[in-house]
Amino acid sequence: MKAGDELPPLEIAVTRTLIVAGALASRDYQDVHHDPELARSKGSPDIFMNILTTNGLVGRYLTDHFGPAAVLRKVAIRLGAPNYPGDTMVLRGRVEEVVGDTAVVRVTGDNGIGRHVSGTVTLTVPTAAAEGTGTVRPGGAG
């Protein structure tokens, strides 16, 4: 793991089920995340994903790549274009900085209408995995 490393992209189908399940799992009962008619009455074309679901997907993206021993220390993301049902979000990452076993990764997620999420994640990766000698999930470093 070194600065400049690009992570492989991850495509995530944005389904109605994913949006509603993510909202329920994070106890976000706002109607714009589960009721299409009420979302439309508030000016949205449909329900849309909440930030906590996006946050979880960003975390999944990084732990899928760096392995289950990776620990997310700081997640600083900002939302942009909404994730609506029927779209696909593509997450991408780039290692910005590495100091010891700690890395800062810039993450973006784009969908059919624009940039849904952008930000940085600081994580620690055990030395063996960071050097490419550890065991991590298929498709990840190592």
Side-chain angles (χ1 to χ4, degrees):
M1 171 175 70
K2 63 186 181 312
D5 285 353
E6 299 279 339
L7 281 62
L10 174 64
E11 291 188 9
I12 298 172
V14 181
T15 65
R16 192 168 298 280
T17 300
L18 175 62
I19 293 169
V20 173
L24 291 174
S26 60
R27 296 182 178 183
D28 184 346
Y29 304 118
Q30 291 188 43
D31 50 30
V32 294
H33 302 308
H34 66 84
D35 188 320
E37 288 179 27
L38 287 174
R40 281 190 282 278
S41 76
K42 293 181 177 182
S44 179
D46 205 339
I47 63 171
F48 55 90
M49 186 176 286
N50 72 353
I51 192 169
L52 294 173
T53 303
T54 300
N55 196 50
L57 292 170
V58 166
R60 171 199 160 193
Y61 174 55
L62 294 172
T63 58
D64 278 0
H65 180 76
F66 290 105
V71 177
L72 306 181
R73 300 292 180 186
K74 179 180 178 184
V75 178
I77 61 172
R78 172 170 282 179
L79 293 184
N83 265 341
Y84 293 118
D87 207 341
T88 299
M89 177 174 64
V90 181
L91 290 170
R92 291 182 173 81
R94 181 178 189 276
V95 178
E96 296 286 308
E97 177 184 355
V98 177
V99 177
D101 64 354
T102 301
V104 176
V105 179
R106 174 153 303 282
V107 177
T108 60
D110 297 311
N111 60 34
I113 58 175
R115 171 113 336 134
H116 171 68
V117 63
S118 60
T120 58
V121 178
T122 303
L123 64 148
T124 55
V125 181
T127 305
E131 294 173 353
T133 59
T135 302
V136 296
R137 294 184 188 188

